[in-house]
Amino acid sequence: MNCLSNDFNWEMIRRTAMEQSAKDCGCSPEDFEKQENTVLLSKPLCGAKKYYTQQHFCQFVSYGNGVVAVTDEKVYDFVCQYLQSCRYPFYAFDTPHLNQISKEMQKYQKAVCFLAEYFLPDPKSEVITLPGLTIEWLYDQQIEKLYSDRRFSMALSYTTEGEKKDRIAAVGFVDGKLAGVSGVSDDCDQLWQVGIDVLPQFRGRGIAKALTSALTREVFAKGKIPFYCTAWSNLISKRNAIACGYRSAWVELSVKDISFTEQMLH
């Protein structure tokens, strides 16, 4: 079988993700295996993903067991009481309970800005191919030639600033026409985030699956672990991840300044 990778296994991949999440939260990887919740005071982070440039005001992470919460001291007691009020840990991410968080965070000009599900690839999954699809590979600075076309915001960062960079792009063509792009960014040392965008007129043909699968194998070949992130409501993106051999791995909730949240909506 032409699998995604022969050099990685699921246990290694999941453990690496937990170790990175521990750096993102300032906790121990074992905290994610606990059945009970863990609440920690926010502190400067070392080795966190590149977009975590400031201390968390309020961040929830769960790998399916208890919730690891990292909070500012202003809301520490509230978060402890909030999690205690949730009958099950996953209730902490549900809308009826989130209303409590939103109301409390408004006191500090903060808002829930991010509620996402993360997927990790099963390396033994079969690589998906699509007859008639031609893939052009771009690496590092080569990707910048795509930045004039703003239709692929789910796949590309469109910036050369900051530490996080686009590293690989799988550019798909059908009958010589640009159909879609799957790109990966170096969010941290070992885990690179995969994104995909297919133009509307080419959707429903399996292009997203073929590009995502091809890029996933290429990331593995570089010795890195790909991961896939999507909003909980983005069912199409979730289906694509699952079809490409990705498995649901963890969830995150982030609280940011209201001004930051408003920027994301525009």
Side-chain angles (χ1 to χ4, degrees), residues 67-109:
V67 176
V68 172
V70 187
T71 79
D72 187 274
E73 60 181 357
K74 298 185 186 70
V75 292
Y76 179 85
D77 290 340
F78 166 80
V79 170
C80 289
Q81 294 172 8
Y82 171 78
L83 292 176
Q84 288 175 2
S85 72
C86 296
R87 183 176 180 182
Y88 302 105
F90 65 86
Y91 277 6
F93 299 87
D94 284 352
T95 300
H97 297 82
L98 288 180
N99 291 336
Q100 300 177 39
I101 293 184
S102 297
K103 184 177 180 180
E104 181 68 19
M105 296 305 155
Q106 287 175 5
K107 299 176 183 178
Y108 307 96
Q109 295 299 300

Side-chain angles (χ1 to χ4, degrees), residues 121-155:
D122 182 341
K124 300 310 176 186
S125 296
E126 189 171 358
V127 177
I128 298 171
T129 59
L130 183 67
L133 178 69
T134 302
I135 299 177
E136 176 186 359
W137 292 98
L138 301 177
Y139 300 89
D140 300 320
Q141 287 82 7
Q142 296 175 341
I143 301 172
E144 294 176 21
K145 76 177 187 178
L146 299 175
Y147 287 179
S148 60
D149 189 337
R150 309 296 291 189
R151 296 176 293 176
F152 303 102
S153 60
M154 300 301 291

